[in-house]
Amino acid sequence: MGRSGEYVSNLYGEIAYRSFRPAPLPPEPQISLDGDDLRLLLAASRRLQELDTMAQFIPNAQLFVSQYVRKEALVSSQIEGTQCTLDDLLDPEVESNADLDVDDVVCYTKSLWHAIDRLDEMPLCNRLLREAHAQLLGSGRGSERNPGEFRRSQNWIGPSGCTLKDARYIPPNVDDMIDALADLERYINADPEIDPLIRAALIHYQFETIHPFLDGNGRIGRMLILLYLIDQGMLHSPVLYVSYFLKRNQIEYYDRMGEVRRSGNYEQWIRFFLEAVKAAAQDALESARALDHLHRKSWEIVAAQRAAKSLSSVLEYVEKRPIMSIGRCAEELSLSYNTVASAVRKLCDLGILRETTNASRNRVFAYESYLAVLRRGTEPLGGGR
């Protein structure tokens, strides 16, 4: 067996194929990083620590966290081909619009929060991943792909419509998959022998290589990065949207993991992963600072008006729902339609909100400055799912 594993033969004759059997973690020989790698590890760790500290102590921290979770859910889903934008996700009528792409992202968000809550009750284990998967594919697209269950048949990766013969990569057969998942669970919960960020890189690679579900492996695998960093105390909340970097470098992302399987070179994958963490943490920091600055500026403008309390209530609402409708806002704040309409008109006059529709009824307004920060990196990729 090579450093990362080996290909094994399955079945016979015309239906014969070769699947990959991964070597258990940690790699042998052990990971070897040079001076540049160690400097990158230190820089990524510092950025992550700075982001985690800021997320704990800035005003309205929970608001920022919820927006970051939405962003990670959206971008991670886009990597898999979901054609959905941030504006689609924030549409005030999103719950009544039957859109499978939006549903993908909503389910991811629910899945991540469920998994984080369960970390308080159980270790990061295969059972928790199955529960997260059940939430991820529990409704809409993928609900027929055995949500919450590891696969009981062979899967493969390749262009749409390809067969085992044409597959770009064939993950472990079911027996090897079961063994590999048990090994991975032990590694996740073993005493750390190397830095948690390096372990996170290895764990993500190993999960993607095992590919234990019929669908949703990429999203659960990227979710696993967040869950592991939270479990290790490197993050106190899910404020790192690492999919931001992975989407921008999607071809390299897949190629780097493929190179581990081809050559056993884990180090080049770890280097790429650390760049992803560093870049994602830096982007999240810049976004947090920009949103915090905008929050303070908008509230100073509103405070100077000495207006009715309803104006502050509506501003607080649009920070949570930066695309809003008057009727929905009035209903959720238990205010009259006219009271909210007056507050919205005032926020438009102050340059905080902007109307995005011309209809006389069901008008939609956007907190454009806030959205401009959140939208960065969330443009959908071309192509199918």
Side-chain angles (χ1 to χ4, degrees):
M1 179 180 286
R3 191 184 186 205
S4 61
E6 62 183 349
Y7 279 92
V8 299
S9 297
N10 303 272
L11 304 179
Y12 300 97
E14 292 187 0
I15 58 173
Y17 69 93
R18 288 163 61 80
S19 60
F20 189 75
R21 177 189 291 158
L25 297 176
E28 292 292 341
Q30 65 184 16
I31 297 297
S32 176
L33 301 180
D34 62 23
D36 288 342
D37 296 335
L38 293 173
R39 282 186 284 275
L40 177 58
L41 173 61
L42 182 59
S45 297
R46 283 176 173 168
R47 288 285 185 280
L48 198 62
Q49 184 178 33
E50 190 178 354
L51 174 62
D52 185 54
T53 300
M54 187 173 193
Q56 291 182 73
F57 296 110
I58 57 174
N60 251 1
Q62 191 55 44
L63 173 62
F64 295 150
V65 170
S66 66
Q67 301 291 17
Y68 287 2
V69 168
R70 280 177 173 170
K71 188 166 181 175
E72 171 62 17
L74 173 61
V75 179
S76 187
S77 299
Q78 286 175 343
I79 291 174
E80 303 306 316
T82 294
Q83 297 296 302
C84 174
T85 68
L86 186 69
D87 289 29
D88 294 332
L89 191 60
L90 296 175
D91 185 332
E93 302 303 321
V94 65
E95 293 172 7
S96 59
N97 291 337
D99 187 306
L100 291 175
D101 284 332
V102 173
D103 192 51
D104 280 348
V105 183
V106 171
C107 286
Y108 183 104
T109 304
K110 292 177 181 176
S111 175
L112 176 58
W113 282 120
H114 173 84
I116 290 171
D117 289 343
R118 292 292 273 161
L119 279 178
D120 292 333
E121 303 165 7
M122 67 170 71
L124 184 48
C125 59
N126 289 330
R127 177 184 169 190
L128 189 149
L129 295 180
R130 288 197 305 270
E131 288 188 12
H133 188 260
Q135 294 279 326
L136 180 70
L137 299 186
S139 65
R141 185 160 45 199
S143 58
E144 77 288 353
R145 306 285 283 170
N146 296 345
E149 297 181 28
F150 292 135
R151 59 182 168 87
R152 295 187 291 273
S153 60
Q154 185 66 64
N155 58 355
W156 59 91
I157 298 171
S160 178
C162 81
T163 66
L164 270 171
K165 297 287 187 183
D166 319 309
R168 186 169 62 246
Y169 169 64
I170 303 176
N173 61 45
V174 173
D175 289 341
D176 289 341
M177 178 201 77
I178 292 170
D179 291 341
L181 282 169
D183 288 335
L184 179 59
E185 184 179 69
R186 280 191 291 271
Y187 182 76
I188 288 172
N189 292 285
D191 292 334
E193 81 290 352
I194 52 177
D195 188 276
L197 277 181
I198 298 176
R199 286 171 61 88
L202 294 174
I203 289 166
H204 177 68
Y205 158 78
Q206 193 80 342
F207 180 88
E208 293 300 327
T209 292
I210 297 168
H211 235 64
F213 297 111
L214 291 180
D215 193 14
N217 291 286
R219 284 167 288 171
I220 294 294
R222 288 183 289 276
M223 188 185 299
L224 181 54
I225 297 169
L226 271 174
L227 295 175
Y228 184 72
L229 294 178
I230 291 171
D231 186 60
Q232 293 296 301
M234 295 196 75
L235 288 175
H236 288 84
S237 57
V239 288
L240 182 74
Y241 37 88
V242 72
S243 294
Y244 155 81
F245 182 91
L246 300 178
K247 179 185 142 185
R248 284 172 47 205
N249 300 276
Q250 187 172 358
I251 294 175
E252 185 178 2
Y253 169 38
Y254 294 140
D255 284 350
R256 293 276 190 172
M257 287 193 289
E259 182 60 28
V260 180
R261 292 188 285 267
R262 283 189 295 272
S263 68
N265 187 346
Y266 288 91
E267 285 77 7
Q268 55 82 32
W269 158 250
I270 290 169
R271 196 172 302 121
F272 175 80
F273 181 86
L274 293 176
E275 289 282 7
V277 170
K278 178 185 172 186
Q282 182 62 39
D283 185 77
L285 273 167
E286 292 171 2
S287 294
R289 290 172 182 142
L291 292 174
D292 185 45
H293 174 76
L294 184 61
H295 167 79
R296 294 173 188 272
K297 179 182 174 183
S298 296
W299 280 96
E300 285 173 4
I301 292 172
V302 167
Q305 301 303 305
R306 303 184 183 278
K309 184 181 177 182
S310 57
L311 187 63
S312 297
S313 297
V314 173
L315 176 57
E316 185 176 353
Y317 178 86
V318 300
E319 285 190 321
K320 296 175 184 175
R321 294 181 175 272
I323 300 177
M324 56 87 71
S325 66
I326 294 173
R328 185 67 175 267
C329 179
E331 179 183 341
E332 294 189 12
L333 295 182
S334 299
L335 296 172
S336 73
Y337 184 95
N338 288 340
T339 297
V340 172
S342 176
V344 167
R345 188 162 54 248
K346 184 66 174 177
L347 290 173
C348 288
D349 292 341
L350 295 171
I352 294 173
L353 285 183
R354 182 175 70 84
E355 185 173 352
T356 60
T357 60
N358 295 315
S360 59
R361 296 174 59 85
N362 300 320
R363 292 182 296 168
V364 175
F365 299 83
Y367 191 2
E368 282 293 345
S369 299
Y370 202 90
L371 285 167
V373 178
L374 290 176
R375 282 189 188 117
R376 188 168 60 195
T378 66
E379 300 81 7
L381 295 163
R385 187 174 168 74

